[in-house]
């Protein structure tokens, strides 16, 4: 499994956070189990390989961070989504942006350009070209305004 695949799986799980009341560690234990990966592999090739320890740690860090900082990340999305109410943004698009913003803000080992590029690439698999541009625009505006390098 590549880091790109691990990031996309983390994005799936960040999306699924919207539909669970489980504590984050219990949710992640359930979702990252071999049994769950085996069941999902039949429908989605991303789950063909179970993550190794390093990949699982990365996925857990991302998804836990998105859960912990959801209000902050959503406020940034709303702030930079000019002319859009947060409720109008699809759950998939918001999950993609939350993951990228968390990486930019809290994972200094991830280059900012990589976080945005990967978010855009993931979005291309799930959203229309217009939404992909929207995501790219929000992330670019967020990076320029909020991150001082």
């Amino acid at each position: 499994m590549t880091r790109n695949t691990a990031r996309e799986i983390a994005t799936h799980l960040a999306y699924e956070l919207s539909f669970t009341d489980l504590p984050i560690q219990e949710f992640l234990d359930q979702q990252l189990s071999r049994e769950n990966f085996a069941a999902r592999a039949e429908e989605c090739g991303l789950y063909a390989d179970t993550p190794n320890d390093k990949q699982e740690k990365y996925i857990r860090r991302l998804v836990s961070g998105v859960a912990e900082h959801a209000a902050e990340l959503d406020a940034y999305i709303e702030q930079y989504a000019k002319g859009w109410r947060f409720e109008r943004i699809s759950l998939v698009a918001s999950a993609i942006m939350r993951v990228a913003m968390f990486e930019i803000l809290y994972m200094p080992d991830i280059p900012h350009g990589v976080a945005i590029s990967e978010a855009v690439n993931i979005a291309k698999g799930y959203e229309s070209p217009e939404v992909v541009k929207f995501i790219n625009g929000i992330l670019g505006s967020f990076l320029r305004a909020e991150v001082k390098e």
Side-chain angles (χ1 to χ4, degrees):
M1 173 183 298
T2 64
R3 165 105 18 137
N4 300 11
T5 302
R7 184 180 282 107
E8 190 165 353
I9 289 169
T11 302
H12 283 195
L13 299 181
Y15 165 80
E16 291 175 21
L17 286 172
S18 302
F19 306 104
T20 186
D21 292 328
L22 291 174
I24 188 65
Q25 292 312 317
E26 187 178 334
F27 171 74
L28 287 169
D29 290 346
Q30 200 177 75
Q31 297 303 314
L32 294 171
S33 70
R34 290 191 177 281
E35 299 78 22
N36 187 55
F37 265 73
R40 286 180 174 224
E42 295 174 17
E43 295 177 24
C44 181
L46 283 176
Y47 295 88
D49 298 320
T50 329
N52 64 29
D53 288 342
K54 184 177 178 182
Q55 294 156 343
E56 183 173 333
K57 184 178 176 186
Y58 170 73
I59 292 168
R60 284 179 179 276
R61 184 174 173 204
L62 263 178
V63 179
S64 296
V66 166
E68 181 181 339
H69 295 276
E72 172 192 14
L73 300 171
D74 290 353
Y76 280 127
I77 293 168
E78 191 164 31
Q79 180 179 345
Y80 293 101
K82 303 278 189 240
W84 282 65
R85 288 188 333 277
F86 186 80
E87 301 80 39
R88 285 188 57 207
I89 300 170
S90 77
L91 291 176
V92 172
S94 61
I96 291 168
M97 290 186 282
R98 286 175 185 145
V99 167
M101 287 177 172
F102 180 80
E103 284 184 317
I104 290 166
L105 291 171
Y106 297 103
M107 297 178 78
D109 53 318
I110 308 291
H112 300 150
V114 170
I116 292 175
S117 176
E118 289 296 318
V120 168
N121 286 333
I122 290 169
K124 287 177 182 176
Y126 301 94
E127 295 287 1
S128 69
E130 294 79 21
V131 175
V132 173
K133 287 179 193 172
F134 176 72
I135 289 170
N136 190 42
I138 288 175
L139 293 175
S141 295
F142 163 77
L143 182 64
R144 286 187 298 278
E146 301 296 332
V147 180
K148 309 299 179 225
E149 295 190 64

